[in-house]
Amino acid sequence: METSEILNKFSPDHKNMLGILHALQDNNPNNYLNEEDIGAIARYLNTTLSHVYGVATYYTMFSLKPRGKYIIRACNSPVCNMIGSVSIIEELKKVLKIEVGETTDDRMFTLELTECLGQCDIAPVMMINKEIYGNLDAEKIKTIIENLKNK
Ligand code: FES
């Protein structure tokens, strides 16, 4: 979808900044906000580039660099930490052969950490795009990643 079509779904009001950022990021096949997006938002909302950059960099759900088709967000908050998220994160790094913050060479997966996902009862937890996966262990991680690779 064209950027202008997306912008026109919102009234040009600053309170719509987050919604617009989400919509443009979701529209990008590489799951990020590029310079053109930031410029278009600034013009549409009649604000400065630095203001839009400030908002986009404040929230961890936005990225200014290309990411994978699947954004994996592993919970790194206390409850998940107590129930083994550190080894889950290590397993993800091993299976994907990347570090936190990196994207696989085939642009399939990006690994990120997140604060509590509100699913502590099924800790340790991760979210892949908009789907939650809980009660994770090394075997489950391998299966989930394999299934996504074969989709
Ligand atoms: S601490 Fe991980 S989901 Fe709450």
Side-chain angles (χ1 to χ4, degrees), residues 73-141:
R73 295 186 175 95
C75 179
N76 195 32
S77 282
V79 176
C80 282
N81 281 168
M82 281 190 302
I83 306 180
S85 65
V86 173
S87 61
I88 292 302
I89 294 162
E90 287 308 310
E91 186 64 24
L92 283 164
K93 285 159 63 172
K94 195 170 101 188
V95 169
L96 298 169
K97 300 185 179 69
I98 55 174
E99 295 295 317
V100 171
E102 292 182 348
T103 297
T104 55
D105 289 340
D106 60 5
R107 290 226 174 277
M108 282 286 281
F109 300 98
T110 296
L111 178 58
E112 297 179 351
L113 301 182
T114 184
E115 298 302 317
C116 179
L117 290 163
Q119 304 287 330
C120 310
D121 53 325
I122 53 167
V125 176
M126 68 180 176
M127 185 162 76
I128 303 182
N129 293 353
K130 291 184 168 110
E131 192 163 342
I132 294 282
Y133 297 83
N135 298 315
L136 295 171
D137 58 29
E139 263 330 290
K140 269 195 181 174
I141 295 280

Side-chain angles (χ1 to χ4, degrees), residues 53-86:
Y53 272 115
V55 175
T57 53
Y58 179 79
Y59 294 97
T60 57
M61 64 263 203
F62 299 123
S63 177
L64 298 177
K65 58 181 187 181
R67 295 185 294 178
K69 178 178 176 190
Y70 297 106
I71 312 294
I72 301 173
R73 295 186 175 95
C75 179
N76 195 32
S77 282
V79 176
C80 282
N81 281 168
M82 281 190 302
I83 306 180
S85 65
V86 173

